[in-house]
Amino acid sequence: MSQTGALMGFVHRRRRGAELFLLFLALVVGIGAYAAVGLGVDGEVPVNLIGYGGWLTALVLATHLTLRFTAPYADPVLLPLVAALNGLGLAVIYRLDLAKEAAGEAHDFAQQQLIWMTLGVGLFIATLVLLRDHRVLQRFTYTSGLAAVVLLLLPLVPGLGTRIYGAQIWIRVGPLSFQPGEVAKVLLVLAIAGYLVLHRDALALAGRRVLFIDLPRGRDLGPILAMWLISLGVLVFQRDLGSSLLFFGLFLIMLYVATERPGWLVVGALLFSAGAFLGYQLFGHVRVRFDTWLHPMDFYSDENGAKSFQIVETMFGMGWGGLIGRGFGGGSPERVPLAESDFIMAAIGEELGLTGVIAVILIYGLIVERALRTALICRDGYGKLVATGLAGIFALQVFVVIGGVTSLIPLTGLTTPFLSYGGSSLVANWVIIALIARISDQARRPPPDLTPDEPVDVDDATQVVKLR
């Protein structure tokens, strides 16, 4: 430890060997779950286990080697957590493929998801190789914001956007479909972080004090009102309740972290409550979500359109799974529509039980904790806000999805990161992990040694200009 490092305190070690060991454990989870699916459903291990396991191992090793050579001080825990989630998600999707194949519906979602994972790992590597310093992204603050807005508007373009299951959040070009909101959320984090670094002093100025809470000045309410209107626009025009909650909650978290003023949370909560009330009163699809959340059994029968069929079947399945689950092949998770994407936690709850659900939630909690730890030790304000925003994306998305599946909150349409089937979500989440790894590499590096090579004359130490 250098003298400067000793003065600055603890110096992080690279820990790449520990990361490699944890990655081995993550591969055991992913490949072991895949083999368990074959044993539970067909009574034998899948015939392609060696090829599948070999390709998954190659992808994981590629990410590890990339970190070792391009970001040696990156957080060593983050990548194994993501690899374990991605491997488990592939196994659960494969389980659902087998169930639907037995029912006469041919699907190869697991194979497609592996292709998407390969693309995501490729972008993970490209991000780390091309982006050597995350502070470069601050130059593109307004460009990122404009690109995010354009991406959010793309599904509304006639002939380009397409409506799937009631939500118009997809664009289709030929045989390919893409959800631009997944990329927009990353660009929004970069744009909001850059904006707050420049303007947080003005936003932190005290305004009127009401009931022991310092509310912001009226002239400073523009950004939060703009974000509120964007979130309402997503809710109204795209009918995407989940993304609306995600975008507004993300902005509110970053605004509070930048200014440390609880008044912004009060204003945000009031605006959110007003938006939720207006949405319930004016839009039928929002009203249906609330009604099926409050009274799911009333909308289970065909007489009322079976609008709560998904959530009620989820409750039955998770209740049947109990504490330790039915085991792979022992349940009927295919009864829940969209079990491979939005409702994959229902399949995990039925076949792996409450224990499996808690384990998955703990892994997500550790990912958020590692991202927030990166934000705490980061030396620049922009990096702190970007890491906080990316952690906020994970925390909000997991809360909204699992809260909806377990009936804690009204149901939304977001995917579960790294578990759900879906290329847009998986690729965007791998880029998010690359950004967090890049910031953590900068944050964990030893500070530069500023000790002069030659001893400094004490009499000259305070002179700005040397006179002799």
Side-chain angles (χ1 to χ4, degrees):
M1 183 183 297
S2 66
Q3 182 180 2
T4 306
L7 293 175
M8 295 294 291
F10 180 75
V11 175
H12 293 276
R13 296 169 58 189
R14 299 188 180 189
R15 299 286 189 184
R16 298 271 71 87
E19 180 188 76
L20 188 60
F21 174 71
L22 293 175
L23 283 174
F24 170 75
L25 298 180
L27 286 172
V28 170
V29 172
I31 300 175
Y34 192 79
V37 168
L39 288 171
V41 177
D42 298 328
E44 58 183 10
V45 297
V47 293
N48 62 345
L49 180 64
I50 296 179
Y52 168 81
W55 186 247
L56 196 62
T57 303
L59 290 177
V60 170
L61 285 180
T63 58
H64 168 73
L65 291 176
T66 303
L67 285 181
R68 186 175 282 270
F69 289 108
T70 63
Y73 285 92
D75 191 306
V77 181
L78 198 60
L79 186 58
L81 294 171
V82 171
L85 278 178
N86 211 151
L88 179 62
L90 282 166
V92 176
I93 295 170
Y94 176 59
R95 160 70 182 101
L96 293 165
D97 281 350
L98 293 180
K100 292 184 177 180
E101 182 180 343
E105 302 176 22
H107 284 289
D108 58 348
F109 288 141
Q111 185 177 354
Q112 295 178 32
Q113 183 77 346
L114 189 59
I115 295 174
W116 288 120
M117 181 186 175
T118 305
L119 180 59
V121 168
L123 288 179
F124 173 89
I125 294 172
T127 302
L128 285 171
V129 170
L130 297 176
L131 182 66
R132 294 308 179 103
D133 189 340
H134 64 273
R135 290 169 292 189
V136 173
L137 297 174
Q138 191 174 359
R139 303 173 188 169
F140 307 101
T141 295
Y142 294 101
T143 306
S144 301
L146 179 61
V149 173
V150 170
L151 286 173
L152 288 175
L153 293 176
L154 275 182
L156 302 178
V157 177
L160 187 62
T162 179
R163 186 182 296 272
I164 300 177
Y165 300 113
Q168 190 157 355
I169 56 178
W170 296 84
I171 60 173
R172 184 178 293 277
V173 180
L176 299 177
S177 58
F178 181 69
Q179 191 174 346
E182 293 290 340
V183 179
K185 68 184 182 185
V186 183
L187 295 175
L188 273 179
V189 169
L190 301 179
I192 294 171
Y195 176 83
L196 290 177
V197 166
L198 295 175
H199 299 92
R200 63 181 167 188
D201 291 339
L203 295 171
L205 290 176
R208 186 181 299 276
R209 189 174 182 82
V210 178
L211 297 176
F212 309 103
I213 298 176
D214 292 325
L215 296 176
R217 298 180 305 182
R219 72 181 73 171
D220 299 325
L221 289 175
I224 194 169
L225 287 175
M227 201 64 209
W228 181 65
L229 291 175
I230 292 174
S231 301
L232 278 183
V234 172
L235 174 64
V236 173
F237 298 109
Q238 299 186 357
R239 297 193 171 194
D240 188 3
L241 180 60
S243 296
S244 177
L245 287 172
L246 178 65
F247 294 147
F248 187 68
L250 171 67
F251 178 74
L252 204 58
I253 289 174
M254 296 181 67
L255 185 58
Y256 172 68
V257 170
T259 62
E260 300 180 0
R261 294 197 58 198
W264 285 112
L265 295 180
V266 175
V267 174
L270 293 174
L271 289 175
F272 174 78
S273 301
F277 178 76
L278 289 175
Y280 182 83
Q281 295 294 330
L282 299 178
F283 307 111
H285 62 282
V286 177
R287 198 157 45 244
V288 167
R289 294 288 178 94
F290 272 89
D291 291 342
T292 54
W293 170 56
L294 294 175
H295 310 287
M297 301 307 295
D298 294 346
F299 297 90
Y300 182 58
S301 65
D302 290 336
E303 296 177 357
N304 293 322
K307 296 173 182 175
S308 63
F309 182 80
Q310 273 182 313
I311 193 64
V312 174
E313 288 293 327
T314 298
M315 294 165 62
F316 288 158
M318 297 183 82
W320 193 33
L323 183 62
I324 59 174
R326 313 299 301 180
F328 283 124
S332 303
E334 71 279 4
R335 286 178 55 87
V336 180
L338 297 179
E340 70 280 354
S341 56
D342 295 5
F343 278 78
I344 198 167
M345 287 303 295
I348 293 176
E350 182 174 347
E351 300 213 321
L352 300 182
L354 179 63
T355 306
V357 172
I358 291 177
V360 170
I361 293 175
L362 284 177
I363 294 176
Y364 281 123
L366 285 173
I367 293 176
V368 174
E369 187 268 341
R370 302 309 292 191
L372 291 178
R373 181 188 291 262
T374 297
L376 282 174
I377 63 175
C378 189
R379 303 186 185 98
D380 65 284
Y382 180 71
K384 284 180 180 292
L385 286 175
V386 172
T388 303
L390 298 177
I393 285 178
F394 267 96
L396 282 173
Q397 191 160 345
V398 171
F399 171 75
V400 168
V401 174
I402 299 182
V405 171
T406 57
S407 298
L408 180 65
I409 60 175
L411 188 63
T412 60
L414 292 176
T415 57
T416 313
F418 294 108
L419 284 178
S420 298
Y421 169 76
S424 309
S425 172
L426 187 59
V427 169
N429 284 321
W430 272 105
V431 173
I432 288 175
I433 295 301
L435 291 175
I436 297 175
R438 172 54 67 204
I439 297 172
S440 70
D441 175 61
Q442 295 282 344
R444 290 165 52 89
R445 282 181 182 272
D449 190 356
L450 302 179
T451 305
D453 296 333
E454 298 179 357
V456 178
D457 189 348
V458 178
D459 296 335
D460 296 340
T462 58
Q463 293 184 12
V464 177
V465 179
K466 195 171 182 178
L467 302 178
R468 58 180 171 80

